[in-house]
């Protein structure tokens, strides 16, 4: 399950970055903002998974 969540986080980060760059290139502030938000969601999901891994008993 954790690998799936990590992959989803990476996907969100990548999609967000693409939207941000495209929005900036075409001058669409709305798309740029959505990209920033999606990238942030991916960052938060990755941080959550990292924290779960840190507290998981080994």
């Amino acid at each position: 399950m954790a690998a799936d969540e990590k992959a989803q986080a990476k996907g969100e980060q990548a999609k967000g970055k693409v939207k941000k760059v495209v929005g900036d290139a075409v001058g669409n502030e709305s798309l740029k903002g959505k990209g920033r938000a999606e990238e942030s969601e991916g960052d938060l999901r990755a941080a959550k998974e990292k924290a779960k891994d840190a507290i998981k008993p080994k």
Side-chain angles (χ1 to χ4, degrees):
M1 176 85 148
D4 186 40
E5 290 286 326
K6 289 177 185 177
Q8 188 174 359
K10 290 290 183 190
E12 285 177 348
Q13 290 169 331
K15 277 181 23 182
K17 188 158 197 81
V18 168
K19 285 181 183 179
K20 191 169 67 171
V21 169
V22 170
D24 192 34
V26 298
N28 186 333
E29 289 299 318
S30 176
L31 184 60
K32 190 175 173 182
K34 287 178 185 176
R36 259 187 258 130
E38 195 164 340
E39 191 173 15
S40 294
E41 283 180 34
D43 292 342
L44 289 172
R45 187 182 303 273
K48 178 187 82 168
E49 289 304 313
K50 195 174 205 179
K52 282 176 31 182
D53 287 345
I55 61 172
K56 188 183 337 179
K58 295 182 181 186

